[in-house]
Amino acid sequence: MSEAATLSEKNRQHWECVLPPRSSSFSSFAACWQAPADADSEFASSYDEKAWAKDLVRDIAAGVIQHRAWIGVDWVTKDKSGLSSEREVRMLDYACGPGNIASTLFPYVTQVRGVDLSSGMVQEFNRRAAALDFSPDRFHAWQGDLLADPATQSAIGGEEFFGFDLVTCSMAFHHIENSELACERFVERLKPGTGVLCIIDLVPDGSHHGHGHGHGHGHGHGHGHAHGKAQGHGAEAADNKQSPWGAYPAQASDSTIAHGGFTKERMESLLKASGCEDVKYLELDKELAFGPDFANVKRRAFMVRGRRAG
């Protein structure tokens, strides 16, 4: 198994059962690892119910809406009767979590397809969609790994998973070991000449580099977690018996992290190398706050977008 595949599997396992609510019957993360495969549904349905997590989701969504025109998609417009445009605008949200970014942008597209490594997050995405009376043909998620061998991706390999007007990956890109391959796979799902890739993630933080950062995927991905190390996750992290963000093993989340953030230059280079033109980068105006669960850490986030060349 390749290193990238190994990290994908670690992420899948981690998000299947990660830091359940404190009211859960699981007394520790270690106990959670031995829970049934469907135990993740409790976490997936409640991870973003805390006040600080709700604020985090709100702040990222507000930043996305603020810069919606900047993203560069030819959005649909809607009125009280529904769509006021007959053309399709299709969105693929990778590492979609329970659907926070997908639902944020749903008013401006005609169809959303979510993909996540975690079956629990996919179930929660679809449960929330059903509760909002979103039809599956317009708003639905599948379990899958875009970085895996395409021959093994029958669930997300059909024509409906290509030709998107927008592909998003929100606050999950740092979990992906092979950034180059990820961008290539994202771009190949876009419409040539018009499709837009938009990635939202963290700026490297000098004050915490080499120590730790906590952040919640309260965006498209939507998962909340803390990292004992900002980058590297080497022997020093392994020696820590507790995360500085709480009484659970730092190694549990560290093992799923590939990068401690991305610079403007790195992201622009990645998108251009993957076949994007008109690449633009900005930082969100408001710092993201991660609440008392994660030592009230604040981090800056960025958005980068590029259009697939024709």
Side-chain angles (χ1 to χ4, degrees), residues 73 90-94 146 164-169 185-190 195-199:
V73 172
R90 302 176 60 243
M91 171 183 173
L92 172 65
D93 187 20
Y94 186 64
L146 288 184
F164 288 94
D165 298 280
L166 174 66
V167 171
T168 56
C169 181
R185 294 287 173 86
F186 294 161
V187 171
E188 72 182 14
R189 301 280 173 153
L190 291 167
V196 172
L197 169 61
C198 182
I199 296 172

Side-chain angles (χ1 to χ4, degrees), residues 40-73:
D40 62 315
S41 59
E42 180 181 3
F43 170 74
S45 62
S46 60
Y47 83 93
D48 56 359
E49 289 302 308
K50 293 187 177 182
W52 70 264
K54 290 181 179 179
D55 289 344
L56 189 67
V57 169
R58 179 201 63 205
D59 289 345
I60 296 174
V64 170
I65 293 301
Q66 177 186 354
H67 299 293
R68 182 170 61 89
W70 175 89
I71 292 172
V73 172

Side-chain angles (χ1 to χ4, degrees), residues 216-263:
H217 292 10
H219 39 63
H221 201 69
H223 311 158
H225 62 279
H227 306 315
K229 292 290 168 184
Q231 193 168 356
H233 318 300
E236 186 180 353
D239 291 341
N240 290 340
K241 293 183 179 180
Q242 277 193 348
S243 163
W245 317 114
Y248 50 84
Q251 195 83 0
S253 56
D254 284 346
S255 65
T256 73
I257 308 303
H259 311 279
F262 301 89
T263 65

Side-chain angles (χ1 to χ4, degrees), residues 21-45:
R22 297 190 188 280
S23 61
S24 164
S25 60
F26 300 119
S27 60
S28 69
F29 183 85
C32 183
W33 279 109
Q34 284 138 42
D38 61 353
D40 62 315
S41 59
E42 180 181 3
F43 170 74
S45 62

